[in-house]
Amino acid sequence: MFMLETQNLTKKFGKFTALDKVNLQLREGEVFGFIGPNGAGKTTTIRVLLGILQATEGKATVFGKDAWKDAVEIHKRVAYVPGDVNLWPNLTGGEVIDLFVSLRQKSNKEKRQKLIKSFELDPSKKCRTYSKGNRQKVALVAAFASDADLYILDEPTSGLDPLMEQIFQECVAEIKAAGKSIFLSSHILQEVERLCDRVGIIREGRVVETGTLNELRHLTSIFMNVITEKPIENLAGVKGVHEIEEKHGELSFRVDSDDIGNVVSHISKFGITKLESMPPTLEELFMRHYGA
């Protein structure tokens, strides 16, 4: 059983199709990165999974339960952080955290205090005085202080400075180490690349690719730097080689993943003294779908 799963999930608003046959699975103990630009359908997918929106077609389940019909039961085991947090203006941050944590069956006061300190949050202030970043911290502390089975995080670091992003990443790593499952929606590619076991790329309401980073890297080429004892002959004629540049006796070029073996075999004939290869980043994979 998957922690959450969608099968041909479709959501229409009038004639506009926000989600078009979306298929996703999240395994137990996994961090799944759901990436795409604003408007691609990330938040709509999450709202269907949380039972806030009803699917037009298809199926969405969490813990094997129907996301719409069993939403109340599902929420007892889920911690959710939205990308734009709205809080009760007359309550303090600490009161809001306690309210959210009390909705879970289990909570940890010691962990709550540790998180408040780590995120440098003043819980005694009224929520109306908080900046966007501090409102985000309240939601993150409330979520991470809860003993949930599934954490659904929708652009969770929106408004946080780089130091707080680092704290967030440490919290995610701790939750993962405890065997919990995390569904992370983000457009911060470095964040997803650092944290996630698998990635799904959504474009205009459709999931265009899903897999581990290694599985997705076949989609694009690898960057190579080479120095050889003798000049490499006919490199441009080798299948899969692109964008050849020479600088100070060093050649740099891109190689299609499927042709790496042939390229290395060719250049080895000229006496390799230096060979560096760099796999594509998630950003390059992402731009393959959105660059056009």
Side-chain angles (χ1 to χ4, degrees):
M1 183 188 77
F2 295 109
M3 296 298 283
L4 66 79
E5 182 177 19
T6 67
Q7 298 175 352
N8 293 324
L9 182 64
T10 301
K11 178 61 183 175
K12 296 182 179 180
F13 297 97
K15 294 182 179 180
F16 174 68
T17 301
L19 300 176
D20 188 4
K21 295 182 172 60
V22 170
N23 292 295
L24 297 169
Q25 295 88 30
L26 172 67
R27 303 180 182 113
E28 189 172 355
E30 180 180 57
V31 181
F32 184 88
F34 195 40
I35 64 173
N38 293 333
K42 302 188 303 296
T43 298
T44 301
T45 301
I46 286 174
R47 286 175 176 169
V48 172
L49 289 168
L50 290 170
I52 298 170
L53 294 174
Q54 187 174 16
T56 306
E57 297 173 20
K59 188 177 181 182
T61 58
V62 181
F63 311 126
K65 301 176 184 292
D66 185 278
W68 178 257
K69 295 177 182 177
D70 301 313
V72 174
E73 286 301 309
I74 289 169
H75 279 239
K76 292 177 182 178
R77 299 171 58 190
V78 172
Y80 166 58
V81 176
D84 191 9
V85 177
N86 291 306
L87 303 173
W88 294 273
N90 289 326
L91 294 182
T92 65
E95 288 170 338
V96 172
I97 291 169
D98 290 340
L99 175 61
F100 283 138
V101 170
S102 68
L103 299 176
R104 307 276 88 76
Q105 293 181 348
K106 300 177 184 177
S107 61
N108 187 325
K109 289 186 178 179
E110 185 179 331
K111 189 174 182 180
R112 170 193 181 277
Q113 290 306 114
K114 180 182 175 184
L115 286 164
I116 287 173
K117 185 177 180 180
S118 296
F119 279 105
E120 299 177 3
L121 176 70
D122 183 348
S124 64
K125 288 187 175 181
K126 297 283 188 181
C127 290
R128 64 170 174 266
T129 68
Y130 282 148
S131 64
K132 175 176 172 55
N134 279 326
R135 293 197 304 273
Q136 208 67 29
K137 290 178 186 180
V138 169
L140 287 168
V141 170
F144 291 140
S146 303
D147 186 18
D149 294 316
L150 170 63
Y151 295 78
I152 297 179
L153 312 176
D154 186 9
E155 304 283 0
T157 57
S158 175
L160 296 187
D161 61 47
L163 180 60
M164 293 300 105
E165 286 183 22
Q166 179 63 39
I167 300 298
F168 164 78
Q169 291 170 14
E170 291 171 3
C171 291
V172 170
E174 186 178 329
I175 288 171
K176 182 185 175 184
K180 307 294 186 177
S181 304
I182 301 167
F183 188 83
L184 172 62
S185 164
S186 180
H187 66 265
I188 302 174
L189 303 179
Q190 296 91 334
E191 180 176 85
V192 174
E193 192 164 21
R194 193 172 292 120
L195 296 174
C196 298
D197 301 301
R198 289 191 306 125
V199 173
I201 301 175
I202 187 168
R203 177 179 183 176
E204 297 174 353
R206 292 187 178 187
V207 174
V208 290
E209 291 288 344
T210 306
T212 65
L213 286 179
N214 284 336
E215 288 169 345
L216 293 184
R217 282 186 171 127
H218 75 278
L219 295 172
T220 189
S221 53
I222 286 177
F223 188 75
M224 300 187 84
N225 290 323
V226 178
I227 297 177
T228 53
E229 295 172 355
K230 297 180 290 184
I232 300 175
E233 298 174 2
N234 194 33
L235 181 60
V238 179
K239 184 175 178 289
V241 175
H242 313 279
E243 302 174 23
I244 302 171
E245 294 183 6
E246 183 175 2
K247 195 172 184 180
H248 305 304
E250 181 171 307
L251 282 175
S252 64
F253 50 91
R254 290 193 176 275
V255 182
D256 293 338
S257 299
D258 294 340
D259 298 308
I260 292 173
N262 291 333
V263 173
V264 172
S265 178
H266 177 79
I267 63 178
S268 64
K269 300 172 187 175
F270 303 93
I272 298 173
T273 59
K274 175 186 174 183
L275 175 62
E276 294 178 342
S277 67
M278 287 158 279
T281 64
L282 182 58
E283 187 163 2
E284 289 172 299
L285 297 174
F286 189 75
M287 290 306 297
R288 180 180 176 93
H289 290 290
Y290 288 97

